[in-house]
Amino acid sequence: MRSKTIFAMGLLNVLLLASLCFRLTPIAHGQIRPAMGKASEYLMIPGEVQGLPGGAVYILDTRNQLLSLRTFDGTRFQDMPPIDLNRIFSKK
């Protein structure tokens, strides 16, 4: 009886090790919805804003040339209105 238990535990360990090595389950990949655009159209840069307690993420939309900011104050996210970079960098 004892040898059967040890054999079963050893077999279970071998199966667990094989599942780690060969990944028996498929790996989940995130997908981007077509409405959001391609992943390379957005650039997100972490940073800090003076006077805000939490961090900030600058979001640059390269397709529409918009710059936005998202902050987190510990309880909720807050989005700032986007800035049109074409208007700022246009030659007059």
Side-chain angles (χ1 to χ4, degrees):
M1 177 72 172
R2 185 177 178 113
S3 63
K4 288 183 182 181
T5 305
I6 292 175
F7 178 75
M9 291 175 72
L11 183 62
L12 178 64
N13 284 330
V14 169
L15 290 174
L16 289 173
L17 180 64
S19 70
L20 284 175
C21 293
F22 298 111
R23 292 193 183 255
L24 298 176
T25 58
I27 300 171
H29 294 283
Q31 80 180 38
I32 298 171
R33 295 183 302 232
M36 291 177 60
K38 297 178 184 175
S40 62
E41 293 174 353
Y42 294 97
L43 180 64
M44 296 184 180
I45 305 160
E48 295 180 4
V49 177
Q50 202 170 29
L52 290 178
V57 177
Y58 296 93
I59 304 169
L60 178 63
D61 181 357
T62 58
R63 171 182 274 183
N64 299 317
Q65 302 297 316
L66 296 173
L67 177 66
S68 183
L69 178 74
R70 174 171 273 194
T71 61
F72 183 69
D73 65 1
T75 57
R76 63 186 175 104
F77 287 101
Q78 200 170 24
D79 292 325
M80 306 298 171
I83 299 170
D84 185 12
L85 296 176
N86 288 327
R87 183 178 55 87
I88 293 175
F89 293 114
S90 67
K91 295 181 182 179
K92 295 181 181 182

